[in-house]
Amino acid sequence: MPEQPISPAVLGSAVLDRARASSPIKPNETVTLFPTYAARSADNRWWEFELRGCIFEAEEDSRLRRLSIDALFRRLKLQDPVAAAIARTRIMAFLVDNEGGKAVTVMVAGHVCTLGRSTEDGHFGGRFRLTTATAEAHAKDGVLDVVAILPPGDRRMFQTRLFLVEPEGLTIVSDIDDTIKITEVHNRKLMLRRTFAMQFEGVPGMAERYSSWLATTGGHLHFVSSSPWQLSAPLVEFLDSAGFPIGTYDLKRVRPKSVRKTLASLKADPMATKPPFIRALMAVYPRRRLVLVGDSGEKDPEVYGSIAREAPGRIARIYIRNVTNEPQAAPRYRYAFKGVPDDLWVVFTDVSELPEMP
């Protein structure tokens, strides 16, 4: 984890009452908490973790919002009412008033954690620790619930999960678009329609294969994507409905305020966004090995190849779903995986080509 102060989580009913009374979350504001992972301290006395999230207010009557939705409808030529309803909901997540200066408080394992004040783009975070006994006593199958503390009378629920991940084992790091979800990134028109105006569709067999991998290895699943965090809600809904194992994720942090900037944010260079996420995960768990799963639609081969060269011995396997009809012997792959052992990476077309064990 980044070098930041680690704050103790605080226990006590009086502390909880004060947190409720001082909660800055207003009835018209929404909090998104991102799922995260915890690591054991070197002396095994603590589980240490970072909590992150975002707070924002929907711009219900914004002229900019209306114009942006109209612009998206024209761009996608939407006429079907179901597609229009999906598009309206998804684009609204990008056209919000991000709330800065808010000190959000959450509860985890019966303890209160007050996170640092949110920045101008509404994002907040903080590092905490729980005693090993406390965390493991409250965990269910190695997972703790994290719940935002709201003012008295506010009955809404904003929550996420905290995974207790052991220092050794296997972590599956997976891309999302065109790896487990059909997005068709190589076709801009189809990508926009699948992203904003269609129910997300899973790549056949990937949910079952990930489930079998985790059941076999007892590993942890972590998604790394260039998709913006504003799509986290429909992505989580998709992962659940498609039967993917629960896990954590890192999504791109963007703050667009128009359709043009929103659409541009979908094409950010993965070489700039994904490697830092993967390196941070590897730094937290220096003894865990990684299986990297991606696709050929963007730059997953190049990203994963660079990671494998940086950390020889840390990568157990690399799997690339072939969506560009390039054979494994293609010059692109030879360049992307230069210096990486040939038996470490595989290009596949159908999930049946993936092994039963990663």
Side-chain angles (χ1 to χ4, degrees):
M1 295 182 184
E3 289 300 323
Q4 300 174 6
I6 301 179
S7 304
V10 181
L11 177 65
S13 58
V15 174
L16 178 58
D17 290 341
R18 287 197 298 270
R20 287 194 179 113
S22 61
S23 174
I25 304 170
K26 297 179 180 178
N28 58 350
E29 294 172 343
T30 297
V31 174
T32 295
L33 298 172
F34 304 136
T36 190
Y37 43 79
R40 290 185 184 273
S41 63
D43 60 8
N44 201 35
R45 293 176 56 203
W46 307 93
W47 280 98
E48 299 174 347
F49 51 94
E50 182 178 10
L51 297 174
R52 295 178 293 120
C54 186
I55 180 169
F56 55 91
E57 176 186 347
E59 296 184 338
E60 295 293 342
D61 299 316
S62 166
R63 179 174 179 271
L64 171 63
R65 173 177 167 271
R66 293 194 300 272
L67 292 175
S68 294
I69 292 173
D70 290 344
L72 179 66
F73 281 17
R74 290 194 299 272
R75 176 75 66 92
L76 300 181
K77 299 179 180 179
L78 293 180
Q79 296 179 340
D80 176 66
V82 174
I86 294 172
R88 181 175 286 105
T89 298
R90 290 188 187 162
I91 196 63
M92 278 176 57
F94 291 84
L95 306 172
V96 298
D97 182 13
N98 298 292
E99 299 295 326
K102 299 273 187 172
V104 174
T105 302
V106 302
M107 174 169 282
V108 53
H111 288 61
V112 173
C113 304
T114 301
L115 290 80
R117 291 188 180 276
S118 56
T119 56
E120 287 186 359
D121 64 355
H123 284 257
F124 53 80
R127 293 191 66 203
F128 303 90
R129 65 185 184 183
L130 291 165
T131 65
T132 299
T134 296
E136 295 177 3
H138 285 79
K140 182 178 181 180
D141 296 326
V143 181
L144 291 166
D145 291 326
V146 180
V147 182
I149 297 175
L150 305 180
D154 192 333
R155 298 185 179 277
R156 296 176 298 165
M157 180 74 76
F158 303 121
Q159 62 183 344
T160 191
R161 297 183 176 110
L162 171 64
F163 291 75
L164 307 182
V165 180
E166 296 292 348
E168 296 183 4
L170 195 68
T171 296
I172 298 170
V173 174
S174 175
D175 175 53
I176 294 177
D177 293 302
D178 286 326
T179 298
I180 65 163
K181 177 175 75 67
I182 298 174
T183 306
E184 301 186 79
V185 172
H186 55 283
N187 183 318
R188 183 168 177 78
K189 182 178 180 180
L190 285 175
M191 177 191 72
L192 294 178
R193 291 192 69 88
R194 284 192 174 275
T195 300
F196 288 105
M198 297 173 64
Q199 296 292 349
F200 293 157
E201 179 182 355
V203 173
M206 290 300 286
E208 293 80 5
R209 188 50 46 98
Y210 281 11
S211 295
S212 68
W213 281 358
L214 293 181
T216 301
T217 64
H220 175 65
L221 176 60
H222 185 76
F223 292 103
V224 173
S225 176
S226 293
S227 290
W229 73 268
Q230 287 88 343
L231 292 174
S232 60
L235 281 173
V236 169
E237 181 181 348
F238 155 72
L239 292 170
D240 182 60
S241 63
F244 281 92
I246 60 174
T248 51
Y249 59 75
D250 278 310
L251 303 179
K252 184 171 51 184
R253 181 170 168 175
V254 298
R255 190 188 181 188
K257 294 292 285 186
S258 69
V259 163
R260 180 179 61 81
K261 292 182 178 179
T262 295
L263 301 184
S265 72
L266 300 178
K267 297 298 290 181
D269 186 358
M271 290 296 291
T273 57
K274 290 185 178 181
F277 291 147
I278 300 174
R279 292 186 190 115
L281 184 68
M282 295 171 73
V284 173
Y285 303 103
R287 303 203 303 273
R288 290 186 72 88
R289 300 186 74 205
L290 274 61
V291 172
L292 307 177
V293 190
D295 65 88
S296 62
E298 291 189 286
K299 293 186 178 180
D300 287 342
E302 290 76 10
V303 170
Y304 294 166
S306 68
I307 294 294
R309 285 188 292 272
E310 288 177 17
R314 294 291 308 277
I315 308 305
R317 201 79 164 178
I318 299 172
Y319 297 107
I320 301 296
R321 180 172 178 257
N322 186 3
V323 297
T324 53
N325 295 320
E326 297 170 278
Q328 184 148 337
R332 174 201 180 178
Y333 294 130
R334 292 298 167 188
Y335 179 78
F337 295 114
K338 184 178 181 180
V340 179
D342 287 345
D343 61 356
L344 200 66
W345 58 279
V346 175
V347 178
F348 71 98
T349 301
D350 187 85
V351 70
S352 62
E353 301 169 48
L354 295 175
E356 292 297 324
M357 291 185 62

